[in-house]
Amino acid sequence: MTTTTTITPARRLDVDGVAPAFTRAVSALDDAASAEADRAGIEQGLRDLMKLRASQLNGCAYCVDLHSHDARAAGESDQRIFAVAVWPEANFFTARERAALALTDSVTRLSETHVPDSVWNEASAHFGDDELAALLALLVSINAWNEISVATRGWRAKLRG
């Protein structure tokens, strides 16, 4: 019989407790990004896949858990959710989704990529200016949440049965 022990990294900082105005401001940023995505008509499943991908790249376990469940609730299949980690090799994302995921990778890895023209131009071929602004807002927001969560170990994913 195998026993498993759950390891929980120590919380470094209760950012909600010590900087509540800051986390409220980040929440307001997230709300504004969602409102822009609503206004631009960005489909919920794509939003969740982008947030999932950014969270994977940033190593944010809490957000990977959250956005994988959100994507499923938005109607995304397990196959597509699991394949976000390897989206360039997966053949079941549309050209539009691939452009959004490439933008996600490039913006999330900003210091490495500086978002090259090729990535931006491909996204521009599939999204109008309002949509691109909404995608960028979503990416800035999720990357901010990822940075806070990873740096502080402030939030925990819960094991779901």
Side-chain angles (χ1 to χ4, degrees):
M1 182 169 143
T2 304
T3 57
T4 52
T5 303
T6 302
I7 305 296
T8 303
R11 176 187 270 185
R12 293 176 173 166
L13 178 68
D14 175 9
V15 70
D16 291 324
V18 298
F22 172 70
T23 55
R24 282 194 304 274
V26 178
S27 289
L29 174 69
D30 193 55
D31 291 345
S34 292
E36 286 301 314
D38 288 345
R39 187 181 63 77
I42 304 297
E43 48 281 24
Q44 188 62 50
L46 179 57
R47 297 179 206 188
D48 294 324
L49 294 176
M50 291 173 64
K51 290 177 182 182
L52 173 59
R53 178 61 179 157
S55 299
Q56 289 171 340
L57 292 172
N58 287 322
C60 184
Y62 177 83
C63 292
V64 165
D65 178 61
L66 176 68
H67 298 298
S68 63
H69 284 88
D70 288 349
R72 184 175 292 123
E76 291 294 339
S77 68
D78 286 345
Q79 183 182 36
R80 285 168 47 92
I81 292 167
F82 299 153
V84 165
V86 293
W87 71 266
E89 290 79 34
N91 65 348
F92 31 80
F93 294 104
T94 67
R96 176 181 162 93
E97 291 166 336
R98 294 175 74 74
L101 290 168
L103 185 64
T104 299
D105 283 14
S106 194
V107 170
T108 301
R109 293 179 165 152
L110 187 65
S111 68
E112 300 166 30
T113 71
H114 298 270
V115 189
D117 287 342
S118 60
V119 171
W120 188 264
N121 292 341
E122 184 63 23
S124 295
H126 297 279
F127 297 95
D129 286 349
D130 285 353
E131 293 170 312
L132 284 169
L135 296 180
L136 185 58
L138 290 168
L139 292 170
V140 168
S141 175
I142 189 57
N143 280 292
W145 281 125
N146 289 166
E147 289 173 0
I148 295 165
S149 182
V150 171
T152 66
R153 312 289 195 265
W155 302 293
R156 300 276 180 256
K158 293 182 175 57
L159 186 61
R160 300 170 198 249

